Structure formats: C-alpha cells, structure tokens
Amino acid sequence: MAKVLGYKVKFVQGYVPTALDKNGKPSKFGAHAWTTITSGGKTYVYDPNFSGYCKRNNLSKGMKSGYKFTYGTKGTYRYFNSKKKEIKK
C-alpha cells in the first residue's frame, strides 16, 4: 500500500534474536522479514510481527511498537542481515 502511495518501500529478509545470553547479547537467531519505508530522507522500520514475536520469545520487556522507528532505536528489536551482522542505519 505504501508503494502505491509513492513511498520508497523495501522488503528485507534477515534475522532477529530469539534468545539472549547472560550478557544480553544474541545467542540464537531466527529468520525474519520486515519492511522499511524511506520518507523525508529517513528510513523507518515497519515490522508487523514485532510485538508478538518478542513476547513469544520472552524478549518484550521494555519493547515499543513495531511501526515507524529507525534501526537501533532503544526499546526496539535488533535486526541482522543475512550474514548475521547487525543493521544500525
């Protein structure tokens, strides 16, 4: 829908943490997909599975909405590319 409205939309495939070690670093990953929309020169993440996925994997403490945030925003998911390198744009 966003593409039809003229936004620059990208479907992204990668990974998200499914478990954290005792230091809070990802220890296991699950395949995941999300969308980014670029507007006004900024790229925003739109992830419809964000909240449910975090709750199922006990990662939801302090998490915010899964819509319209930038990579690396505190209280949001950490996203990793296909080589499991964190995306921090």
Side-chain angles (χ1 to χ4, degrees):
M1 289 187 288
K3 198 173 212 175
V4 170
L5 293 172
Y7 291 98
K8 183 180 175 185
V9 180
K10 184 179 176 186
F11 174 75
V12 185
Q13 292 177 310
Y15 296 91
V16 291
T18 57
L20 304 175
D21 66 16
K22 60 184 172 186
N23 297 316
K25 295 189 181 209
S27 59
K28 292 183 182 179
F29 294 89
H32 194 67
W34 58 96
T35 300
T36 60
I37 297 176
T38 301
S39 176
K42 247 184 161 173
T43 299
Y44 297 97
V45 175
Y46 288 79
D47 186 347
N49 294 317
F50 180 86
S51 296
Y53 197 82
C54 289
K55 287 176 186 169
R56 280 194 308 275
N57 289 291
N58 200 27
L59 300 172
S60 61
K61 186 177 181 182
M63 293 285 183
K64 300 179 188 304
S65 167
Y67 299 100
K68 198 174 182 182
F69 59 88
T70 56
Y71 287 114
T73 298
K74 185 176 180 170
T76 62
Y77 233 7
R78 294 173 64 191
Y79 293 86
F80 294 77
N81 66 19
S82 60
K83 296 180 182 178
K84 295 186 181 164
K85 181 177 178 183
E86 188 168 4
I87 302 170
K88 296 183 177 184
K89 295 179 184 177

